[in-house]
Amino acid sequence: MYKRVPGTRDILPEEVYSWQWIEEIARGILRNYAYQEIRTPVIEEASLFSRGLGEFAEIVQKQMFLIKNKEDTYALRPEGTASIVRAYIENNLDKIKKFSKFYYFGPMFRLERPQKGRLRQFHHIGAEAIGSIDPNIDIEVISLADTLLRSWGVNGYQIQINTLGCPEDKKKLVQLLEKELKDEAAALCQECQVRLNKNVLRILDCKNEACKQITAKLKLQDKHLCADCQEHFKEVRSGLDGLGVKYEVARHLVRGLDYYTRTVFEVKHGQLGAQDALGAGGRYDNLVEELGGPKVACVGFAFGVERLMLVTQPAAKTTGGLTAYLVTLGKEASREGRILLDQLRKNGIPCETDYEGRSLKGAMRAANELGVKLVLLLGEDELKKNVVMVKDMAAGSQEEVSRQELIEKLKEKLVQNSKRKDQN
Ligand code: HAM
């Protein structure tokens, strides 16, 4: 028997309703904030990521799913930002308008060791604002992430923010860290000893206890930041304060991808265990130019949907919006039922029937299990009179309805039932 690949999941129909709920809420909010959906391929040239995310980023070094053919090496995308920037440049979107806002949903792939909240195929809901250096857009993006979390009913999360500064400031921070950590090299974990020369920033968010103790002693202030970057960060914080977005400044937050500059942020949740980030993002003011496009500044974020699922109780469950269930009695009614079902569906009334030869009782039970509110009975009597018996399960009533009036009547009942639901 075949099994799914480790670190991947089947999202079965019952769970898919929750996914749709999460996505529908996100779509509504992202539209309110004027973001437009973008869909890019799941495979890209591998070098897009090594160049975009950084040769020494963990994702590039260890986690890429590579597909090699004779001439090319492709990668299953490990994240969305680089792909969106590629699409922005390739499609000359900057020529259409200088400033654009995109959102995306979709699977991402990282060859990680699977554990709770860490998969090899997982899903992002992300947003990217391309073309502005204005701190207002950092503020918008972080408050958008906060609004999404509230709308999904997530409680108990913390937003951490920091600034890495511009590339010159980042270089200064790297030098500062290299200097401060040089003497501690022997006490660092093996991975951080390598990072000391290649990716020193990542030592700051190493999970190893010994490394944490060493980095906790570092007095990280904003000494490495130029006046512009300090001012930008001040503006971002005061904007978030003005909007009532709760956050804490975490000087150790550096993020694992090279493209980040200035504002970075992460949303943490205590219920998630070791993989405690629900989502993350920040500015990447040089990535578009780095990948061959114009010099435009950007900021964005992405949430991991599987991790969101661990901390939300999505409201939508079961029926998937089925309204009616048709029960036919006898061959003739079954033939006529096919036509009726077709008419109802084409008129926007979601309905189902029995395909398993159930008895009347069995069919009624099946309707009940589906949570359907209206059962339509079609037997010999009804055929003769050209009517359908409509049983309203919620109201506990039944009535004969002529075939001509059926669709209108069902639509009316739909409205009544949804009003009743709203009142409850
Ligand atoms: P990231 O922090 O690598 O950022 O991923 C964002 C979120 O995806 C994480 O916070 C986590 O919830 C989820 N995630 C990451 N890896 C896994 C995994 N193996 N299994 C399950 N969930 C996972 C980015 O990818 C950036 N592109 C975010 C961004 C957008 N920055 C600017 N714009």
Side-chain angles (χ1 to χ4, degrees):
M1 193 175 53
Y2 286 112
K3 296 226 155 129
R4 56 181 193 271
V5 170
T8 66
R9 291 188 55 221
D10 299 311
I11 306 163
L12 300 177
E14 184 138 344
E15 204 189 334
V16 168
Y17 294 123
S18 305
W19 280 68
Q20 289 171 346
W21 181 83
I22 294 261
E23 287 166 5
E24 273 156 28
I25 287 183
R27 262 182 222 291
I29 290 168
L30 287 155
R31 260 188 236 125
N32 291 349
Y33 281 74
Y35 285 72
Q36 292 181 300
E37 186 173 359
I38 185 164
R39 299 183 188 195
T40 59
V42 296
I43 49 173
E44 298 277 358
E45 271 183 46
S47 60
L48 171 70
F49 301 109
S50 44
R51 224 168 127 198
L53 279 52
E55 203 64 60
F56 297 112
E58 217 151 305
I59 298 180
V60 172
Q61 291 260 307
K62 299 189 200 152
Q63 298 170 357
M64 294 258 270
F65 273 97
L66 297 174
I67 305 164
K68 293 186 192 191
N69 67 13
K70 273 197 206 106
E71 296 104 47
D72 306 301
T73 306
Y74 301 131
L76 292 182
R77 63 177 181 197
E79 59 108 55
T81 311
S83 302
I84 284 156
V85 167
R86 196 254 327 122
Y88 177 83
I89 300 168
E90 185 175 350
N91 295 289
N92 292 313
L93 298 184
D94 63 304
K95 309 276 184 320
I96 301 168
K97 50 186 175 139
K98 274 267 157 324
F99 178 64
S100 301
K101 301 201 285 193
F102 303 106
Y103 77 84
Y104 53 98
F105 297 170
M108 306 291 157
F109 305 85
R110 295 184 193 175
L111 199 50
E112 300 203 67
R113 195 148 41 83
Q115 63 177 80
K116 181 186 165 199
R118 189 162 77 185
L119 292 147
R120 289 179 169 178
Q121 177 179 333
F122 59 97
H123 294 76
H124 270 172
I125 291 182
E128 314 287 350
I130 301 189
S132 170
I133 191 77
D134 189 335
N136 275 315
I137 192 72
D138 308 45
I139 297 162
E140 177 183 289
V141 158
I142 298 172
S143 80
L144 163 61
D146 187 54
T147 304
L148 283 167
L149 288 162
R150 281 166 195 267
S151 310
W152 288 321
V154 182
N155 293 312
Y157 59 89
Q158 295 91 40
I159 301 177
Q160 297 188 339
I161 65 169
N162 191 19
T163 180
L164 299 173
C166 54
E168 290 72 38
D169 296 349
K170 250 174 104 176
K171 260 186 228 145
K172 274 189 235 156
L173 180 62
V174 167
Q175 281 163 4
L176 201 100
L177 289 173
E178 281 171 352
K179 197 167 133 229
E180 300 243 348
L181 293 171
K182 202 172 57 192
D183 298 338
E184 311 271 6
L188 292 169
C189 74
Q190 269 185 348
E191 245 174 299
C192 283
Q193 293 188 10
V194 179
R195 286 176 181 146
L196 197 53
N197 299 316
K198 300 201 161 138
N199 196 4
V200 70
L201 288 179
R202 281 316 295 230
I203 299 179
L204 290 183
D205 58 11
C206 178
K207 299 252 159 48
N208 180 290
E209 265 317 308
C211 301
K212 275 208 263 186
Q213 277 181 19
I214 293 170
T215 53
K217 284 187 285 179
L218 297 171
K219 298 259 175 318
L220 293 171
Q221 293 299 330
D222 46 13
K223 272 185 281 180
H224 62 286
L225 296 174
C226 65
D228 274 358
C229 288
Q230 288 198 25
E231 187 53 36
H232 188 97
F233 195 46
K234 204 167 127 200
E235 192 64 32
V236 171
R237 281 177 310 185
S238 95
L240 292 174
D241 292 339
L243 292 178
V245 176
K246 300 260 176 306
Y247 63 86
E248 61 181 69
V249 175
R251 290 287 179 195
H252 282 66
L253 181 67
V254 287
R255 311 275 305 123
L257 312 171
D258 270 12
Y259 56 56
Y260 287 113
T261 48
R262 288 199 169 175
T263 315
V264 285
F265 70 100
E266 214 158 81
V267 181
K268 307 262 193 192
H269 200 292
Q271 262 175 38
L272 288 177
Q275 305 302 316
D276 63 351
L278 271 180
R283 273 206 165 273
Y284 46 100
D285 292 340
N286 301 296
L287 183 63
V288 180
E289 196 181 20
E290 182 74 23
L291 295 177
K295 181 153 184 55
V296 287
C298 316
V299 56
F301 67 82
F303 281 111
V305 183
E306 285 78 0
R307 291 191 193 171
L308 281 172
M309 287 294 175
L310 298 172
V311 295
T312 47
Q313 259 96 44
K317 289 252 158 69
T318 59
T319 72
L322 267 184
T323 303
Y325 193 90
L326 174 69
V327 180
T328 59
L329 299 169
K331 266 235 152 71
E332 184 59 28
S334 163
R335 266 195 293 272
E336 195 52 37
R338 283 201 292 263
I339 296 166
L340 178 60
L341 206 59
D342 188 56
Q343 284 169 348
L344 295 177
R345 288 169 170 166
K346 285 178 175 152
N347 277 280
I349 296 165
C351 49
E352 182 54 313
T353 192
D354 170 52
Y355 297 101
E356 295 168 72
R358 286 189 170 97
S359 64
L360 174 62
K361 212 166 138 200
M364 295 296 284
R365 200 179 313 126
N368 189 37
E369 276 164 14
L370 285 170
V372 167
K373 297 289 177 286
L374 298 172
V375 172
L376 314 179
L377 260 176
L378 189 63
E380 270 176 35
D381 255 14
E382 284 80 16
L383 280 181
K384 264 190 225 138
K385 294 197 237 165
N386 202 24
V387 296
V388 173
M389 181 68 83
V390 177
K391 283 173 168 290
D392 186 329
M393 309 303 268
S397 60
Q398 64 175 39
E399 62 178 311
E400 277 181 357
V401 179
S402 77
R403 287 284 293 276
Q404 289 83 350
E405 287 170 335
L406 184 66
I407 286 166
E408 275 323 299
K409 193 83 190 175
L410 291 181
K411 285 188 175 165
E412 260 170 46
K413 281 197 173 288
L414 266 180
V415 174
Q416 281 166 11
N417 276 346
S418 78
K419 274 194 193 141
R420 206 176 299 144
K421 211 162 88 194
D422 287 347
Q423 280 159 9
N424 290 336

